[in-house]
Amino acid sequence: MRSKILLVTAITALFSASSAISQDRWADAKITSQPVSGSVHMLEGMGGNIGVSAGPEGILIIDDQYAPLAEKIAMAIGDISKQPIKYIVNTHYHGDHTGSNAYFAEAKGSTIFAHDNVRKRLADKEDHTHAELPVVTYQQGMTFHFNGDTINVMYMPAGHTDSDSVVWFEEANVLHPGDLFFEGRFPYIDLDGGGTVTGYINNVTKLIGMLKDDTKIIPGHGKLATKADYQKALDMLVDTTAMVKSMKAEGISLDDAVEQGLGEKYTAWAWNFITEEKWISTLYKGL
């Protein structure tokens, strides 16, 4: 009996410690902002980068990270402008881009826009709340005429997920491609969420073709970037895909492909979520 009590005590302590660490994680998180161009700003924190259009007509934001950060995000936006947060655009359905939807819908009266598949996938979650679901959905895209800019929201099929949208600010010359751009690192391609390797590459190729040399890019993850940075990412995508495709064609197993690796050239692209092993596995399974 004593040993059982000790075990329960140990487990309780473990969960309590885990909970405290989780709470500290959110408490210690910082939301920073920087001006990008025209009315456009970029917020960084934990999760996907947030784009902000702030002007006399109000505020539009692109993505909203995790739910525990909602109030911090609202405060950071308030430092940019005291105008109401009218609109939210979700670039896709992942929680690090949609987690604060409910807060902004309920506390700020914001209207959420997203592709049809974002609403479908969020609604399929057992623990979803009605407030987090996009209110306005579309199949191909839509346009906001807002704060002196023309803001084009465009659906990009079967890339990072099956619910991806990118946002293009015409006058400000800024692109927010969501998770179709992980700046300086291997991307996450959600094969279970409708993403495809070929689609990801095709979408990035198409987007780069739209850009000017001086276009500023708010990536889904990473620092504010340029067309040249995006091209480097595309070159990596094309090259590593060709390498793994060749391995697979030669009959090399996934384990052996991981063992062989991609060489020192791409060591710096690995990170804690998408290691080189996971990237090779994604390519191998997705080709």
Side-chain angles (χ1 to χ4, degrees):
M1 178 63 70
R2 177 179 173 78
S3 62
K4 288 183 179 180
I5 293 174
L6 290 174
L7 178 59
V8 170
T9 301
I11 292 173
T12 302
L14 179 62
F15 276 106
S16 297
S18 177
S19 178
I21 291 171
S22 178
Q23 289 175 4
D24 287 345
R25 176 183 179 225
W26 303 120
D28 294 341
K30 292 186 180 356
I31 307 296
T32 61
S33 69
Q34 61 178 303
V36 178
S37 176
S39 67
V40 183
H41 299 252
M42 170 178 162
L43 299 185
E44 295 179 85
M46 295 175 62
N49 290 328
I50 299 172
V52 179
S53 171
E57 295 179 348
I59 296 171
L60 175 151
I61 70 173
I62 305 164
D63 292 338
D64 51 35
Q65 299 191 357
Y66 295 105
L69 299 175
E71 292 187 358
K72 289 187 176 184
I73 293 167
M75 289 178 62
I77 294 171
D79 290 338
I80 297 171
S81 172
K82 302 303 183 185
Q83 293 287 343
I85 302 171
K86 291 184 175 180
Y87 311 123
I88 295 173
V89 177
N90 293 150
T91 60
H92 60 287
Y93 76 94
H94 288 155
D96 63 322
H97 295 256
T98 63
S100 295
N101 277 6
Y103 171 85
F104 284 106
E106 293 178 326
K108 303 297 182 180
S110 309
T111 302
I112 304 168
F113 298 75
H115 185 263
D116 293 340
N117 289 342
V118 173
R119 183 178 173 93
K120 290 175 183 176
R121 287 194 174 275
L122 289 179
D124 282 343
K125 295 191 310 176
E126 291 185 2
D127 60 346
H128 83 274
T129 62
H130 182 74
E132 73 183 287
L133 302 179
V135 174
V136 181
T137 63
Y138 49 82
Q139 291 185 342
Q140 297 302 322
M142 61 188 304
T143 302
F144 291 87
H145 301 278
F146 192 65
N147 288 334
D149 211 329
T150 302
I151 306 170
N152 296 304
V153 182
M154 299 169 283
Y155 173 59
M156 307 296 284
H160 171 61
T161 68
D162 62 4
S163 63
D164 302 331
S165 292
V166 302
V167 183
W168 169 252
F169 296 85
E170 288 188 11
E171 280 71 27
N173 190 25
V174 175
L175 177 72
H176 191 319
D179 280 3
L180 284 170
F181 187 18
F182 286 71
E183 182 273 323
R185 62 190 81 175
F186 294 134
Y188 171 43
I189 298 179
D190 185 356
L191 300 178
D192 294 329
T196 68
V197 173
T198 300
Y200 197 105
I201 292 173
N202 289 344
N203 290 341
V204 173
T205 301
K206 179 178 179 179
L207 289 171
I208 289 177
M210 294 169 45
L211 304 181
K212 301 174 184 177
D213 289 341
D214 61 347
T215 299
K216 294 183 178 179
I217 307 173
I218 300 173
H221 297 265
K223 63 180 177 60
L224 187 66
T226 65
K227 180 180 180 179
D229 296 323
Y230 210 4
Q231 184 63 53
K232 288 178 184 177
L234 176 59
D235 292 343
M236 177 278 296
L237 287 167
V238 172
D239 191 28
T240 57
T241 297
M243 292 169 67
V244 175
K245 187 174 183 179
S246 177
M247 293 180 197
K248 193 171 180 179
E250 292 172 10
I252 296 175
S253 69
L254 174 57
D255 288 343
D256 288 341
V258 169
E259 181 68 25
Q260 185 170 323
L262 300 171
E264 292 185 6
K265 181 178 180 180
Y266 295 113
T267 300
W269 290 80
W271 54 298
N272 61 329
F273 186 51
I274 305 297
T275 61
E276 182 175 303
E277 177 180 354
K278 188 166 183 178
W279 179 235
I280 292 172
S281 178
T282 296
L283 293 174
Y284 196 96
K285 295 174 181 177
L287 292 172

